[in-house]
Amino acid sequence: MNLKSGRIEAFEGYSQFKSVKEFNTHVEMWLAVKKLEFSKGELVGLKRLVRFSAKVPGVCNAKIGTLLKAINEEYQGNGISRSTFKRMISKAKDLGILTIYETERKNGSQTSNLYSFNRFPASEPPKAKKLDHPKETNNLLKTNHQKNNKRNEAPIELDYTFVSDKVPQAFVQSVKYFFSDAKTIEEYWHMVQIAAFRFECDQNTEDVLAIAIQSFKQLIHKLKSTKLVVKPIAFFYGILINKLKELYLNQLHENRNESKPLRYVLETGEVMYYDWLHVSQA
């Protein structure tokens, strides 16, 4: 049964977030691991959908036409197509970022969809290497069959020596003993970049690197001392946020007499602004 259309306040029960701040944090986490799944045009559409999901955190029932018009105005006539937006919605749904509900008018005719952002799955276990090997067999009749199945084997996992040059070697050397595959190391560093930009310290490369290494060591200590950490990369991000927030406040204090634009308003929950999204509490 479809939902009845109405004002966005009527759909507060479909929000999974207590505040815009919490919503933004979960969107950041989603994009940290899923951003490459979207094209540039699709990301533009996703940004706009996020901005339209601020009044009720994580919920939007705007028409596609309204969203596209806003994008077109922002980019001075160089917006995205309806098909690009719909493709973004389909990907976001398949990736688990969005849940989509159809709505209808009182007369039963279909109207705009209700888009509900999902929380980043904190209980999702980290990806582990497959250590199990195929069991050997002495049945010579199966030899040919086994050879044919080699095409379906999983691709070889690249180790830390294949990590991108954009990741500092000091960070690679600290992480490789616990997570040796290149993709995981790059994902951890990407979280560092997100957190650093959030607190306007992305240019302080030495300080950020030192804090990143310290935060990772704190994560490992926690993993070794307890089994309560179900999502290591999310826990790592939380440590980073606390440490970089302290660095940010210290810098803000030192420059209190200077005019400095803020991308992040601390603790108010009224304005949240990031590199790829602009969300304001209505």
Side-chain angles (χ1 to χ4, degrees), residues 159-260:
D159 65 15
Y160 68 91
T161 60
F162 291 89
V163 172
S164 169
D165 292 338
K166 295 179 181 180
V167 183
Q169 273 301 306
F171 186 78
V172 174
Q173 295 302 315
S174 297
V175 177
K176 71 176 185 180
Y177 297 106
F178 305 94
F179 302 104
S180 61
D181 60 292
K183 183 178 180 181
T184 300
I185 296 175
E186 289 173 356
E187 287 177 351
Y188 272 87
W189 182 250
H190 188 51
M191 302 305 288
V192 176
Q193 292 176 306
I194 291 175
F197 186 89
R198 178 174 178 177
F199 290 102
E200 296 188 346
C201 54
D202 43 314
Q203 300 302 317
N204 301 350
T205 54
E206 293 185 3
D207 289 339
V208 170
L209 176 59
I211 288 175
I213 294 175
Q214 185 181 7
S215 298
F216 186 78
K217 290 181 178 178
Q218 190 171 332
L219 164 67
I220 297 304
H221 180 270
K222 191 70 175 180
L223 289 173
K224 296 293 185 180
S225 60
T226 181
K227 295 182 179 180
L228 299 179
V229 180
V230 294
K231 186 68 178 179
I233 195 168
F235 192 86
F236 172 71
Y237 182 76
I239 299 172
L240 276 172
I241 289 297
N242 290 331
K243 292 185 180 298
L244 289 175
K245 178 179 177 180
E246 182 178 356
L247 175 65
Y248 174 84
L249 292 175
N250 290 337
Q251 291 177 338
L252 193 63
H253 178 72
E254 293 172 0
N255 298 285
R256 63 186 180 277
N257 295 323
E258 299 180 11
S259 177
K260 185 177 182 182

Side-chain angles (χ1 to χ4, degrees), residues 133-137 146:
H133 300 283
K135 295 181 179 180
E136 295 183 0
T137 176
Q146 290 173 346

Side-chain angles (χ1 to χ4, degrees), residues 17-240:
F17 309 97
K18 297 179 181 179
S19 64
V20 174
K21 180 179 179 180
E22 183 184 32
F23 169 49
N24 286 336
T25 299
H26 280 263
V27 173
E28 278 188 332
M29 295 296 292
W30 276 117
L31 268 294
V33 296
K34 301 296 185 182
K35 186 175 182 179
L36 295 180
E37 301 286 343
F38 298 93
S39 67
K40 291 183 179 180
E42 291 165 356
L43 282 174
V44 168
L46 183 57
K47 294 176 190 180
R48 181 57 60 171
L49 184 60
V50 169
R51 291 171 63 179
F52 269 63
S53 303
K55 195 165 188 178
V56 175
V59 179
C60 173
N61 67 341
K63 297 178 180 179
I64 293 180
T66 301
L67 292 160
L68 293 178
K69 181 180 178 181
I71 294 171
N72 195 56
E73 290 176 353
E74 179 180 358
Y75 289 90
Q76 300 178 349
N78 298 311
I80 62 174
S81 66
R82 180 177 288 265
S83 60
T84 297
F85 189 88
K86 287 187 173 181
R87 189 163 57 249
M88 176 276 293
I89 291 296
S90 179
K91 285 185 180 180
K93 179 182 177 182
D94 292 342
L95 292 170
I97 299 174
L98 282 177
T99 298
I100 303 173
Y101 302 91
E102 293 184 351
T103 64
E104 61 182 23
R105 300 181 180 88
K106 292 181 179 180
N107 61 9
S109 60
Q110 188 174 351
T111 182
S112 58
N113 289 330
L114 179 72
Y115 306 102
S116 174
F117 281 85
N118 297 320
R119 299 175 67 85
F120 188 81
S123 60
E124 181 181 339
K127 295 179 181 179
K129 293 182 178 180
K130 292 184 178 180
L131 300 179
D132 296 329
H133 300 283
K135 295 181 179 180
E136 295 183 0
T137 176
N138 293 323
N139 191 343
L140 298 179
L141 295 177
K142 295 183 179 180
T143 302
N144 292 334
H145 179 67
Q146 290 173 346
K147 288 181 180 179
N148 292 334
N149 284 341
K150 286 184 178 180
R151 300 176 186 176
N152 298 324
E153 292 179 357
I156 299 175
E157 193 174 63
L158 301 179
D159 65 15
Y160 68 91
T161 60
F162 291 89
V163 172
S164 169
D165 292 338
K166 295 179 181 180
V167 183
Q169 273 301 306
F171 186 78
V172 174
Q173 295 302 315
S174 297
V175 177
K176 71 176 185 180
Y177 297 106
F178 305 94
F179 302 104
S180 61
D181 60 292
K183 183 178 180 181
T184 300
I185 296 175
E186 289 173 356
E187 287 177 351
Y188 272 87
W189 182 250
H190 188 51
M191 302 305 288
V192 176
Q193 292 176 306
I194 291 175
F197 186 89
R198 178 174 178 177
F199 290 102
E200 296 188 346
C201 54
D202 43 314
Q203 300 302 317
N204 301 350
T205 54
E206 293 185 3
D207 289 339
V208 170
L209 176 59
I211 288 175
I213 294 175
Q214 185 181 7
S215 298
F216 186 78
K217 290 181 178 178
Q218 190 171 332
L219 164 67
I220 297 304
H221 180 270
K222 191 70 175 180
L223 289 173
K224 296 293 185 180
S225 60
T226 181
K227 295 182 179 180
L228 299 179
V229 180
V230 294
K231 186 68 178 179
I233 195 168
F235 192 86
F236 172 71
Y237 182 76
I239 299 172
L240 276 172

Side-chain angles (χ1 to χ4, degrees), residues 257-269:
N257 295 323
E258 299 180 11
S259 177
K260 185 177 182 182
L262 301 182
R263 289 192 294 249
Y264 176 73
V265 178
L266 294 172
E267 302 302 338
T268 65

